[in-house]
Amino acid sequence: MKKKYFLISHNEYALGLKKALEMIVGEQANLTAYGLMPGGHPDDIANEIEKQIDDETQVVILGDIAGGSVCNSCLPLTTKPNVVLVTGTNLPLAMEIVVAQISDKQAIDTIIAACREGMRTLTLELTNEDGGDDFF
């Protein structure tokens, strides 16, 4: 079965996410990005995606904000059994789903849980191994 992936967001976040993803893993022919620009209407994005959906294609829509206008406009598309909408998308999540060509909701939920584990604060702790107080 054919698969299509869509990144959707406010402004250029989805477009930048696509560029970053493809910089790391290479071009993805079945990945499209749409950003809601000032003055635009989120239904235009949903309508554009809907034109590209057929019953023979598994579709995953990766959106920026749950409850945001872009995701809300695409939410009715999930009444189709072959469409999954994911919110809170970041680069690791998008890479895992798109590169592995995952479209199954349960598998996506597993990836979401794993990506949450990767979110943490990092701190570089400097050590003074030679016992001195300076670098000189």
Side-chain angles (χ1 to χ4, degrees):
M1 184 170 275
K2 224 170 35 171
K3 296 181 182 188
K4 289 187 180 180
Y5 298 88
F6 297 94
L7 298 169
I8 60 171
S9 71
H10 295 84
N11 214 298
E12 295 185 4
Y13 176 68
L15 305 169
L17 191 59
K18 181 178 187 290
K19 286 181 181 180
L21 187 150
E22 291 183 330
M23 178 182 170
I24 296 167
V25 300
E27 186 175 339
Q28 302 296 305
N30 60 347
L31 177 64
T32 306
Y34 294 102
L36 177 64
M37 302 309 287
H41 198 282
D43 288 348
D44 294 340
I45 292 173
N47 292 335
E48 195 59 39
I49 292 171
E50 187 169 29
K51 288 180 200 173
Q52 299 175 60
I53 295 174
D54 60 44
D55 293 340
E56 306 305 314
T57 305
Q58 292 293 317
V59 175
V60 178
I61 304 168
L62 301 164
D64 58 355
I65 301 172
S69 59
V70 184
C71 286
N72 284 350
S73 287
C74 288
L75 191 57
L77 299 175
T78 64
T79 61
K80 299 176 186 285
N82 57 322
V83 176
V84 176
L85 173 63
V86 179
T87 64
T89 300
N90 60 23
L91 183 56
L93 178 66
M95 280 181 20
E96 285 284 333
I97 291 171
V98 174
V99 171
Q101 295 290 292
I102 303 296
S103 59
D104 175 72
K105 185 184 178 314
Q106 285 183 311
I108 290 172
D109 286 339
T110 300
I111 293 169
I112 290 170
C115 286
R116 282 186 184 133
E117 293 297 315
M119 297 173 70
R120 63 186 75 125
T121 59
L122 296 178
T123 304
L124 180 62
E125 294 187 26
L126 300 176
T127 61
N128 192 351
E129 293 177 2
D130 65 356
D133 289 333
D134 56 44
F135 290 96
F136 306 104

